[in-house]
Amino acid sequence: MRRARRLVGWTLTAELLPELRKRKEPLLARLDYLLSRIGLRLPRRPSMLRAELGLPDLKKAPKPEAIRLSVSETPVVTVLIPTYGQVDYTLLCLNSLAQFPPETPIEVIVAEDASGDPRIPELRRVAGLRLLEREKNLGFLLSCNDAAKRARGEFIFLLNNDTEVMPGAIDALVRTLRDHPEAGMAGARLLYPDGYQQEAGGIVWQDGSAWNYGHRDDPTKPEYNYLREADYISGAAIMLPLAVWNRMGGFDEHYVPAYCEDSDLAFRLRAAGMKVLYQPEAQVIHYEGVSHGRDVNAGLKAYQVANTAKLHARWAAELAGHFPGGTHVMRARDRAFGSRVTLVMDNNVPEPDRDAGSRTMLAFIQALQATGRIVKFWPTNGYATPGYTRALQQMGVQVFYTPWYGSFRAFIQEQGAEIDEILLSRPHVAEENLALIRQHCSAPVVFYGHDLHHARMRREAEAAQSQTCLREAEEMQARERAVWRAVDLVLYPSEDEAIEVRRLEPGVPASGIVPYALPPTSTAAMTPAGRDGVMFVAGFGHSPNVDAAQWLVREIMPILRAQRPGLRLSLVGSNPTAEVKALADALTEVTGFVSDEELARRYAGTRVVLCPLRFGAGVKMKVVEALHSGVPLVMTTTGAQGLTDVEQACDVTDDPAAFAAAVLRLLEDEALWAARSRSQRAYVEGRFTLAAMSRALEDAFSAAAARAASHPG
């Protein structure tokens, strides 16, 4: 034991402390990260969990007259709270709705089921509450069905009275149902008051038994924080479109008085072609056991056993396709019974508004999901990039990150058998992980190279006349070729690059693939009226783009400004280097990063788009995006790489004078401008679509699987 501790200490000192100094985070977060690298994590106290989850501290509920609900006469959501006494808990629930009112207009109905509690009249003093008081007890299920008939909202939110609704929960559920019209129900994450998890969606096993998935676990783990389908969501906090609820007839009276009616509703929704979604951003604290206790041998809780048997009998045929209890948990929680689980690996979480490679990877993920696949994403830098990680999670992608997943070796050893196929991106990502994948996983592996790194590096070296850079290009070629030989299929953004792969490694299957998926182009006619200036869009942390900006400013713009003295140039894009910033002057703007919305505004006001790349490889996002915008484009042959016959839609030249002449024509000839605009949009239409990408990826994985099967081991 002493030796093991010493080894941990050496590891922290020699390898991890340099990382500690780099990370600009609070000390505890940095220590957490370091421990994750050796498979450990700081224990979570309730206060830490609540802080990480953003849960406010709710004190004891005030008196009823102090609670004022923000309700609407035209509600979008009807919050329906069935009660049987327990006034203190009901007041806590109502107080949470009052303290953190949603942006969505609501009404609140409490349906009191003739409990005989003498304190029920207190609820009449809650401002804004609609209180239904029955003279005869109906039981939980029938009480919900009856109360729902009074709902006026577009959505109905069924909420236990022993809950507290956290900020944003109702809005998150509404957003989920609006964004996913195929969903019939969306459910919340249930938490204990101490911040630990009660349920992150439910799993129903083959025998009809169920798991509250994630019970008593740390809710900050990645596996609990992405939107996904669930077998069921506990009825303590579920939302449905009222029209769907009515179409289903509410809860089925087969389960009177209570228990399993929520699971049965989920199964009936799926039978009707709808999905049941778990939304982790809708957080609800649930005081479990308050309403009906926990003893399955007494009271209303006793119906749980009998109704579980009813559920299994009714849905036995479907449950036969579920997993046996407690097995294949990663697949079970995603309902991946017949779906393929695809692991996508890249250096970092995609940042699609910052670089073209990220746009490609995001489009690949969307295209894979469109085929029905369950997509998991592993960023090898281990970082949950703020904003971008959440975007992936809300797309339904599980993202693996530290401190929970510090070791790919540990993950692939444990879960490799559950992965059906793998997409690797970039040579260094493949190099670092291929051996582990082959050792612990039999899934076919597809490699996407983004561009031929060695070819781009060689052109850059030749332009700089650098022998050192030439040697680095040769080393990169050897590395890329080794990766190609080790995978089952190679993809590049153009067929030209795939041909080069096959020339260098004749035994390697390689194909070109659509690298970008864009929405349909507009059919509205575009005109040059009101537009001025020229624009070059690029990520300026990439050396070919720095060279292009310098060549543009020094060789082409002087020719243009000799004819158009006031012509403005905008260099638009993230990470401008010192060399790029030095190009700014009274007529040359260097913007730095701009949002997608700002970029769209700039395309709408620019007269001509330029792509002056002198070296690089592959199909460029900036070029495809410019073609798609309909703003006439002038580019070099490097910019046109991989775009067959693109010269029929726009000017392509490497000569500075010819480049400038082409730009001048578009600045002066309105008819030519309009014609080029139409031609460019026609060129993009049908070529760069999600459907085309989905077909190409399906073909790629089919071919990779066939090759892997023919070369086992």
Side-chain angles (χ1 to χ4, degrees):
M1 179 63 72
R2 189 177 301 162
R3 185 177 177 185
R5 287 177 184 156
R6 206 178 291 134
L7 179 61
V8 168
W10 290 338
T11 304
L12 282 168
T13 303
E15 296 183 21
L16 301 182
L17 287 183
E19 280 288 326
L20 181 65
R21 298 188 187 98
K22 290 184 206 172
R23 296 172 75 86
K24 297 178 179 178
E25 296 173 336
L27 181 59
L28 280 177
R30 285 181 279 167
L31 181 57
D32 218 10
Y33 167 77
L34 298 181
L35 290 173
S36 77
R37 300 289 295 273
I38 54 174
L40 302 174
R41 195 181 190 204
L42 290 174
R44 258 41 189 172
R45 299 189 306 275
S47 60
M48 294 173 66
L49 279 177
R50 292 182 67 94
E52 287 186 54
L53 294 166
L55 303 182
D57 288 325
L58 287 173
K59 302 189 180 351
K60 185 177 179 180
K63 293 182 179 180
E65 53 269 22
I67 300 174
R68 303 190 65 82
L69 297 168
S70 298
V71 295
S72 170
E73 287 300 313
T74 55
V76 172
V77 173
T78 295
V79 181
L80 177 55
I81 305 171
T83 68
Y84 186 77
Q86 301 287 352
V87 170
D88 283 337
Y89 282 99
T90 303
L91 290 173
L92 275 173
C93 178
L94 295 172
N95 188 51
S96 71
L97 292 169
Q99 283 198 41
F100 313 115
E103 294 181 6
T104 307
I106 64 169
E107 65 172 348
V108 182
I109 298 175
V110 165
E112 161 56 26
D113 197 22
S115 66
D117 188 329
R119 293 185 58 198
I120 293 301
E122 293 179 28
L123 297 176
R124 300 171 191 164
R125 303 202 298 271
V126 175
L129 176 66
R130 292 177 63 193
L131 177 63
L132 304 180
E133 297 179 76
R134 294 197 180 86
E135 296 180 359
K136 179 181 178 182
N137 178 262
L138 297 178
F140 174 81
L141 189 154
L142 294 177
S143 177
C144 290
N145 285 356
D146 178 70
K149 296 173 184 176
R150 278 79 164 175
R152 297 179 297 173
E154 177 187 351
F155 301 99
I156 183 170
F157 182 35
L158 288 160
L159 183 67
N160 275 20
N161 72 316
D162 54 347
T163 61
E164 292 178 273
V165 181
M166 295 296 96
I170 290 175
D171 295 322
L173 293 173
V174 171
R175 183 182 70 247
T176 302
L177 291 171
R178 289 207 190 285
D179 290 348
H180 298 272
E182 74 280 9
M185 180 196 297
R189 177 216 298 273
L190 299 181
L191 300 167
Y192 285 106
D194 62 7
Y196 278 92
Q197 192 155 254
Q198 187 179 125
E199 177 195 300
I203 298 174
V204 181
W205 301 109
Q206 204 170 78
D207 63 358
S209 63
W211 269 16
N212 298 124
Y213 179 62
H215 186 252
R216 292 306 305 177
D217 203 358
D218 185 333
T220 64
K221 288 183 177 180
E223 50 263 47
Y224 305 131
N225 284 286
Y226 64 102
L227 181 76
R228 67 173 191 274
E229 286 194 67
D231 287 340
Y232 74 98
I233 311 288
S234 289
I238 56 175
M239 184 179 290
L240 299 85
L242 183 59
V244 171
W245 169 268
N246 290 336
R247 196 185 323 152
M248 292 291 107
F251 290 137
D252 195 320
E253 295 183 15
H254 184 57
Y255 299 92
V256 164
Y259 287 105
C260 296
E261 71 285 336
D262 46 9
S263 300
D264 177 78
L265 178 58
F267 277 78
R268 287 191 289 129
L269 286 166
R270 279 191 294 274
M274 290 174 274
K275 293 181 179 180
V276 174
L277 298 179
Y278 157 72
Q279 173 52 271
E281 293 188 354
Q283 300 185 126
V284 172
I285 292 172
H286 183 212
Y287 295 86
E288 186 182 40
V290 168
S291 299
H292 307 304
R294 299 185 183 184
D295 185 356
V296 296
N297 297 307
L300 199 60
K301 191 79 172 175
Y303 287 94
Q304 184 172 349
V305 175
N307 282 359
T308 296
K310 289 182 180 181
L311 182 80
H312 182 257
R314 172 176 281 186
W315 299 104
E318 180 173 334
L319 288 170
H322 286 217
F323 296 110
T327 65
H328 304 284
V329 174
M330 186 176 80
R331 301 182 72 94
R333 70 167 178 254
D334 289 330
R335 293 187 49 79
F337 309 122
S339 302
R340 300 192 69 74
V341 176
T342 305
L343 178 66
V344 178
M345 300 182 70
D346 201 354
N347 182 72
N348 54 273
V349 170
E351 301 177 12
D353 56 354
R354 291 183 178 272
D355 65 89
S358 288
R359 292 207 174 198
T360 296
M361 296 312 297
L362 184 64
F364 280 172
I365 290 168
Q366 292 170 319
L368 288 166
Q369 288 183 314
T371 69
R373 285 169 163 82
I374 307 296
V375 179
K376 312 285 181 182
F377 187 85
W378 188 286
T380 58
N381 69 356
Y383 190 47
T385 315
Y388 299 102
T389 298
R390 175 188 174 273
L392 270 192
Q393 291 169 326
Q394 285 296 297
M395 283 171 52
V397 177
Q398 181 183 359
V399 183
F400 300 92
Y401 44 82
T402 59
W404 295 112
Y405 292 91
S407 166
F408 181 68
R409 177 187 295 275
F411 167 76
I412 203 69
Q413 284 176 338
E414 182 181 348
Q415 299 289 351
E418 303 292 348
I419 304 297
D420 295 310
E421 54 201 20
I422 297 175
L423 175 63
L424 295 176
S425 169
R426 304 180 208 280
H428 75 275
V429 171
E431 288 173 327
E432 292 167 7
N433 298 288
L434 264 170
L436 285 171
I437 289 169
R438 292 309 195 193
Q439 184 180 355
H440 300 290
C441 183
S442 60
V445 179
V446 172
F447 171 72
Y448 178 70
H450 288 273
D451 65 9
L452 290 172
H453 286 44
H454 74 268
R456 169 173 47 79
M457 292 169 68
R458 181 175 292 113
R459 293 188 189 98
E460 189 171 355
E462 290 168 350
Q465 297 183 334
S466 168
Q467 290 301 311
T468 299
C469 292
L470 278 172
R471 285 193 297 273
E472 291 173 353
E474 290 168 2
E475 291 170 4
M476 176 56 73
Q477 184 187 92
R479 292 170 59 194
E480 287 183 306
R481 292 175 69 175
V483 169
W484 301 340
R485 293 191 298 268
V487 300
D488 298 305
L489 188 79
V490 173
L491 296 175
Y492 276 96
S494 72
E495 189 58 32
D496 292 345
E497 290 161 300
I499 291 170
E500 179 65 7
V501 172
R502 296 194 294 267
R503 184 188 71 79
L504 291 169
E505 292 290 342
V508 170
S511 302
I513 188 170
V514 178
Y516 308 112
L518 299 171
T521 56
S522 172
T523 57
M526 293 177 60
T527 70
R531 296 171 176 269
D532 61 69
V534 296
M535 178 171 69
F536 173 37
V537 180
F540 292 106
H542 198 41
S543 57
N545 296 328
V546 175
D547 173 82
Q550 291 174 321
W551 185 63
L552 171 61
V553 170
R554 293 168 184 169
E555 300 291 332
I556 297 170
M557 292 308 298
I559 301 173
L560 287 170
R561 285 175 177 150
Q563 299 294 317
R564 302 287 289 260
L567 184 64
R568 295 189 58 81
L569 166 66
S570 294
L571 301 174
V572 179
S574 61
N575 303 314
T577 62
E579 295 93 336
V580 173
K581 290 178 181 177
L583 300 175
D585 59 27
L587 293 175
T588 303
E589 173 190 21
V590 177
T591 69
F593 169 78
V594 299
S595 66
D596 285 346
E597 294 75 16
E598 172 62 14
L599 183 58
R601 188 189 69 77
R602 287 176 174 272
Y603 272 118
T606 296
R607 178 78 178 222
V608 183
V609 178
L610 314 177
C611 181
L613 284 169
R614 295 197 297 170
F615 49 87
V619 178
K620 286 80 177 172
M621 177 64 194
K622 65 183 74 69
V623 173
V624 176
E625 190 174 64
L627 292 167
H628 180 266
S629 76
V631 181
L633 170 68
V634 179
M635 61 180 158
T636 58
T637 53
T638 298
Q641 282 176 344
L643 298 171
T644 306
D645 299 328
V646 73
E647 62 277 0
Q648 296 178 14
C650 55
D651 288 286
V652 179
T653 178
D654 293 329
D655 178 70
F659 196 108
V663 175
L664 285 168
R665 286 195 296 273
L666 292 166
L667 292 172
E668 295 167 356
D669 189 332
E670 295 193 359
L672 175 65
W673 192 100
R676 288 289 168 79
S677 177
R678 290 192 299 271
S679 297
Q680 288 182 192
R681 287 187 292 175
Y683 180 87
V684 171
E685 189 67 32
R687 280 181 167 89
F688 298 95
T689 66
L690 197 66
M693 185 179 282
S694 293
R695 289 192 297 270
L697 285 170
E698 285 213 281
D699 291 345
F701 276 115
S702 294
R707 188 166 190 265
S710 66
H711 297 84

